[in-house]
Amino acid sequence: MTERENGGNGQYGALGTSSLSLRIVDGRRLEKKFRDVLRPGGVLSDAQGQAHALPRYFYEVPSWDVAMKLQLSEHFALWEFIHTDVHEAEPLRTFPRYVPCAITLMALGLEQFRDAVGSYVHIAANGGYRSPAHTLSPHATPHAWGTAVNIYKIGDTMLDEREALEHYAALAYQSMPGVYVRPFGKTQGFTDDHLHLDFGYVIAVPRGAPFETYNPKVDVEPL
Protein backbone atom coordinates (compact mmCIF):
# COMPACT_ATOMS: atom_id res chain seq x y z
CA MET A 1 0.00 0.00 0.00
CA THR A 2 1.33 3.43 -0.85
CA GLU A 3 1.02 6.35 1.51
CA ARG A 4 -1.71 7.74 -0.74
CA GLU A 5 -4.03 4.76 -0.40
CA ASN A 6 -7.09 5.73 1.64
CA GLY A 7 -5.06 8.69 2.73
CA GLY A 8 -7.04 11.89 2.40
CA ASN A 9 -6.05 15.28 1.09
CA GLY A 10 -9.13 15.42 -1.12
CA GLN A 11 -9.63 18.33 -3.50
CA TYR A 12 -13.12 19.78 -3.79
CA GLY A 13 -14.49 22.43 -6.13
CA ALA A 14 -16.19 25.70 -5.28
CA LEU A 15 -19.97 25.98 -5.13
CA GLY A 16 -21.45 25.57 -8.58
CA THR A 17 -18.39 23.88 -10.10
CA SER A 18 -17.39 20.27 -10.63
CA SER A 19 -15.19 18.75 -7.95
CA LEU A 20 -13.28 16.73 -10.57
CA SER A 21 -10.78 18.15 -13.01
CA LEU A 22 -11.37 15.34 -15.52
CA ARG A 23 -12.89 15.84 -18.95
CA ILE A 24 -16.26 14.17 -19.51
CA VAL A 25 -16.47 12.42 -22.88
CA ASP A 26 -19.20 10.80 -24.95
CA GLY A 27 -17.87 7.30 -25.50
CA ARG A 28 -19.58 7.08 -28.88
CA ARG A 29 -17.26 9.77 -30.18
CA LEU A 30 -13.99 8.21 -29.06
CA GLU A 31 -11.55 6.56 -31.43
CA LYS A 32 -12.68 3.20 -32.76
CA LYS A 33 -10.09 1.28 -30.72
CA PHE A 34 -11.72 2.61 -27.55
CA ARG A 35 -15.30 2.19 -28.78
CA ASP A 36 -14.60 -1.46 -29.60
CA VAL A 37 -13.61 -2.31 -26.02
CA LEU A 38 -15.86 0.09 -24.08
CA ARG A 39 -18.96 -0.55 -26.21
CA PRO A 40 -20.51 2.76 -25.05
CA GLY A 41 -24.30 2.70 -24.93
CA GLY A 42 -24.32 -0.93 -26.06
CA VAL A 43 -25.98 -3.91 -24.40
CA LEU A 44 -24.30 -6.69 -22.43
CA SER A 45 -25.97 -9.73 -20.89
CA ASP A 46 -25.19 -11.11 -17.46
CA ALA A 47 -24.69 -14.78 -16.58
CA GLN A 48 -28.47 -15.21 -16.30
CA GLY A 49 -29.06 -13.77 -19.79
CA GLN A 50 -30.48 -10.46 -18.56
CA ALA A 51 -29.53 -7.51 -20.78
CA HIS A 52 -28.03 -4.32 -19.34
CA ALA A 53 -27.29 -1.03 -21.13
CA LEU A 54 -23.61 -0.09 -20.87
CA PRO A 55 -22.36 3.38 -19.84
CA ARG A 56 -22.03 5.99 -22.57
CA TYR A 57 -20.30 8.80 -20.65
CA PHE A 58 -16.80 8.51 -19.20
CA TYR A 59 -14.18 10.52 -17.36
CA GLU A 60 -10.96 10.78 -19.36
CA VAL A 61 -7.87 10.00 -17.26
CA PRO A 62 -4.85 11.52 -19.03
CA SER A 63 -2.04 9.90 -17.01
CA TRP A 64 -1.17 7.63 -14.11
CA ASP A 65 0.17 10.66 -12.24
CA VAL A 66 -3.26 12.28 -12.42
CA ALA A 67 -4.91 9.03 -11.25
CA MET A 68 -2.52 8.86 -8.28
CA LYS A 69 -3.19 12.42 -7.17
CA LEU A 70 -6.91 12.82 -7.85
CA GLN A 71 -9.23 12.04 -4.94
CA LEU A 72 -12.68 10.72 -5.84
CA SER A 73 -13.65 11.16 -2.20
CA GLU A 74 -11.88 12.17 0.98
CA HIS A 75 -10.00 8.88 1.41
CA PHE A 76 -10.13 7.18 -2.00
CA ALA A 77 -7.97 8.13 -4.97
CA LEU A 78 -8.83 7.32 -8.57
CA TRP A 79 -5.87 4.97 -9.06
CA GLU A 80 -7.27 2.52 -6.50
CA PHE A 81 -10.22 1.85 -8.84
CA ILE A 82 -8.29 1.42 -12.10
CA HIS A 83 -5.35 -0.77 -11.04
CA THR A 84 -5.44 -3.49 -13.71
CA ASP A 85 -2.97 -5.78 -15.51
CA VAL A 86 -2.83 -7.77 -18.76
CA HIS A 87 -6.37 -9.05 -18.14
CA GLU A 88 -7.58 -5.63 -19.32
CA ALA A 89 -8.00 -4.88 -23.03
CA GLU A 90 -4.79 -3.61 -24.63
CA PRO A 91 -6.07 -0.09 -25.54
CA LEU A 92 -6.91 0.48 -21.86
CA ARG A 93 -3.51 -0.49 -20.44
CA THR A 94 -2.02 2.88 -21.37
CA PHE A 95 -3.27 6.45 -21.19
CA PRO A 96 -5.56 8.16 -21.79
CA ARG A 97 -7.96 5.79 -20.07
CA TYR A 98 -11.70 6.07 -19.64
CA VAL A 99 -13.83 5.24 -16.59
CA PRO A 100 -17.63 5.38 -16.27
CA CYS A 101 -18.93 8.47 -14.51
CA ALA A 102 -20.74 6.35 -11.89
CA ILE A 103 -17.39 5.47 -10.33
CA THR A 104 -17.76 8.50 -8.05
CA LEU A 105 -20.84 6.89 -6.48
CA MET A 106 -18.80 3.81 -5.56
CA ALA A 107 -16.16 6.02 -3.96
CA LEU A 108 -18.79 7.79 -1.84
CA GLY A 109 -20.21 4.45 -0.74
CA LEU A 110 -16.76 3.25 0.26
CA GLU A 111 -16.31 6.36 2.39
CA GLN A 112 -19.29 5.25 4.46
CA PHE A 113 -17.87 1.73 4.66
CA ARG A 114 -14.42 2.97 5.69
CA ASP A 115 -15.99 4.95 8.52
CA ALA A 116 -17.83 1.83 9.67
CA VAL A 117 -14.75 -0.45 9.68
CA GLY A 118 -12.47 2.24 11.09
CA SER A 119 -9.44 1.33 8.99
CA TYR A 120 -7.88 1.23 5.53
CA VAL A 121 -9.82 -0.55 2.78
CA HIS A 122 -7.67 -2.25 0.12
CA ILE A 123 -9.14 -2.75 -3.36
CA ALA A 124 -7.62 -5.68 -5.25
CA ALA A 125 -5.83 -5.34 -8.59
CA ASN A 126 -8.51 -5.89 -11.27
CA GLY A 127 -11.00 -5.42 -8.42
CA GLY A 128 -12.33 -2.00 -9.37
CA TYR A 129 -13.33 -0.82 -12.83
CA ARG A 130 -13.02 -3.43 -15.58
CA SER A 131 -14.07 -2.77 -19.15
CA PRO A 132 -16.54 -5.07 -20.96
CA ALA A 133 -13.49 -6.50 -22.79
CA HIS A 134 -11.66 -7.46 -19.56
CA THR A 135 -10.93 -11.20 -19.63
CA LEU A 136 -12.19 -11.73 -16.06
CA SER A 137 -15.63 -10.42 -17.03
CA PRO A 138 -17.09 -12.71 -19.73
CA HIS A 139 -20.60 -11.51 -18.80
CA ALA A 140 -22.07 -8.23 -17.63
CA THR A 141 -20.85 -7.32 -14.15
CA PRO A 142 -21.16 -4.03 -12.27
CA HIS A 143 -17.36 -3.78 -12.50
CA ALA A 144 -17.91 -2.63 -16.11
CA TRP A 145 -20.16 0.16 -14.82
CA GLY A 146 -17.57 1.33 -12.28
CA THR A 147 -19.95 0.42 -9.45
CA ALA A 148 -18.29 -2.69 -7.99
CA VAL A 149 -15.15 -3.38 -6.00
CA ASN A 150 -13.36 -6.46 -4.70
CA ILE A 151 -11.72 -5.82 -1.33
CA TYR A 152 -9.00 -8.26 -0.30
CA LYS A 153 -7.83 -6.64 2.95
CA ILE A 154 -9.14 -4.29 5.62
CA GLY A 155 -6.54 -2.82 7.94
CA ASP A 156 -4.25 -5.78 8.65
CA THR A 157 -7.00 -8.38 8.15
CA MET A 158 -6.88 -10.52 5.01
CA LEU A 159 -10.37 -11.38 3.80
CA ASP A 160 -9.91 -15.09 3.14
CA GLU A 161 -11.83 -16.58 6.06
CA ARG A 162 -15.59 -16.93 6.42
CA GLU A 163 -15.76 -15.19 9.80
CA ALA A 164 -13.97 -12.08 8.54
CA LEU A 165 -15.93 -11.92 5.29
CA GLU A 166 -19.28 -12.22 7.00
CA HIS A 167 -18.30 -9.68 9.67
CA TYR A 168 -17.40 -7.04 7.09
CA ALA A 169 -20.33 -7.96 4.89
CA ALA A 170 -22.64 -7.08 7.78
CA LEU A 171 -20.88 -3.73 8.20
CA ALA A 172 -21.24 -3.04 4.48
CA TYR A 173 -24.99 -3.64 4.61
CA GLN A 174 -25.28 -1.33 7.61
CA SER A 175 -23.21 1.52 6.15
CA MET A 176 -23.92 1.41 2.39
CA PRO A 177 -27.67 1.65 1.64
CA GLY A 178 -28.56 -0.32 -1.48
CA VAL A 179 -25.29 -2.28 -1.68
CA TYR A 180 -25.11 -5.92 -2.75
CA VAL A 181 -22.55 -8.21 -1.08
CA ARG A 182 -21.71 -11.57 -2.58
CA PRO A 183 -22.24 -14.34 -0.02
CA PHE A 184 -19.49 -16.66 1.18
CA GLY A 185 -18.91 -19.75 -0.94
CA LYS A 186 -16.77 -21.36 -3.61
CA THR A 187 -19.18 -21.60 -6.54
CA GLN A 188 -20.13 -19.03 -9.18
CA GLY A 189 -21.79 -15.97 -7.66
CA PHE A 190 -20.11 -16.52 -4.29
CA THR A 191 -16.69 -15.57 -2.93
CA ASP A 192 -14.24 -16.96 -0.39
CA ASP A 193 -11.13 -14.79 -0.81
CA HIS A 194 -12.40 -11.20 -1.11
CA LEU A 195 -15.36 -9.00 -0.26
CA HIS A 196 -17.37 -8.11 -3.37
CA LEU A 197 -19.51 -4.96 -3.05
CA ASP A 198 -21.62 -3.46 -5.81
CA PHE A 199 -24.48 -1.05 -6.48
CA GLY A 200 -25.73 -2.80 -9.61
CA TYR A 201 -25.75 -1.49 -13.16
CA VAL A 202 -25.80 2.26 -12.54
CA ILE A 203 -25.42 4.73 -15.40
CA ALA A 204 -24.45 8.30 -14.45
CA VAL A 205 -24.66 11.36 -16.69
CA PRO A 206 -23.03 14.18 -14.71
CA ARG A 207 -23.41 17.90 -15.14
CA GLY A 208 -21.22 19.06 -17.99
CA ALA A 209 -21.66 15.92 -20.11
CA PRO A 210 -21.41 16.72 -23.86
CA PHE A 211 -25.09 16.56 -24.77
CA GLU A 212 -26.31 17.15 -28.29
CA THR A 213 -29.58 17.45 -30.16
CA TYR A 214 -31.14 14.01 -30.46
CA ASN A 215 -30.02 12.22 -33.60
CA PRO A 216 -31.59 8.78 -34.22
CA LYS A 217 -28.67 7.87 -36.47
CA VAL A 218 -26.23 8.06 -33.54
CA ASP A 219 -28.26 5.43 -31.67
CA VAL A 220 -27.43 2.80 -34.28
CA GLU A 221 -24.33 4.21 -35.98
CA PRO A 222 -21.81 5.97 -33.70
CA LEU A 223 -19.86 8.77 -35.40
Side-chain angles (χ1 to χ4, degrees):
M1 181 184 71
T2 73
E3 63 181 1
R4 288 189 179 277
E5 186 170 5
N6 296 314
N9 191 33
Q11 300 298 317
Y12 301 97
L15 291 177
T17 66
S18 173
S19 61
L20 290 183
S21 57
L22 300 176
R23 186 168 76 102
I24 302 169
V25 300
D26 181 347
R28 291 189 173 188
R29 297 194 176 270
L30 291 173
E31 295 179 56
K32 185 177 186 301
K33 66 177 182 179
F34 294 118
R35 298 201 310 267
D36 287 347
V37 295
L38 295 173
R39 298 174 58 181
V43 175
L44 194 63
S45 295
D46 61 25
Q48 290 72 45
Q50 297 177 321
H52 303 276
L54 284 160
R56 175 173 172 176
Y57 292 96
F58 299 83
Y59 289 115
E60 183 178 76
V61 187
S63 69
W64 185 248
D65 184 61
V66 168
M68 286 286 293
K69 294 177 179 177
L70 193 146
Q71 299 291 132
L72 293 182
S73 63
E74 184 178 1
H75 295 103
F76 289 90
L78 177 57
W79 75 269
E80 298 176 74
F81 296 85
I82 62 172
H83 186 196
T84 57
D85 55 22
V86 295
H87 289 290
E88 186 54 274
E90 192 278 333
L92 300 178
R93 295 181 208 162
T94 57
F95 290 87
R97 289 176 61 178
Y98 299 92
V99 295
C101 294
I103 200 166
T104 56
L105 304 180
M106 189 72 244
L108 292 175
L110 284 181
E111 278 294 326
Q112 297 292 107
F113 181 62
R114 189 182 185 281
D115 285 346
V117 303
S119 190
Y120 295 106
V121 175
H122 303 260
I123 302 172
N126 298 298
Y129 172 62
R130 305 197 298 238
S131 79
H134 194 287
T135 59
L136 296 182
S137 301
H139 305 287
T141 163
H143 285 286
W145 278 250
T147 50
V149 291
N150 294 336
I151 298 168
Y152 74 96
K153 185 179 178 183
I154 294 177
D156 295 324
T157 303
M158 298 297 295
L159 301 184
D160 55 3
E161 298 288 342
R162 181 168 192 157
E163 182 178 1
L165 283 166
E166 292 186 344
H167 169 71
Y168 287 114
L171 289 176
Y173 279 124
Q174 292 171 15
S175 60
M176 302 171 70
V179 77
Y180 170 78
V181 185
R182 281 191 177 180
F184 179 85
K186 296 182 180 295
T187 57
Q188 184 177 1
F190 294 76
T191 178
D192 65 350
D193 62 357
H194 66 270
L195 186 69
H196 170 98
L197 309 175
D198 78 62
F199 284 112
Y201 305 91
V202 181
I203 292 178
V205 183
R207 298 277 187 163
F211 288 108
E212 59 187 18
T213 303
Y214 177 68
N215 182 351
K217 181 179 179 181
V218 175
D219 280 346
V220 295
E221 185 179 338
L223 300 179

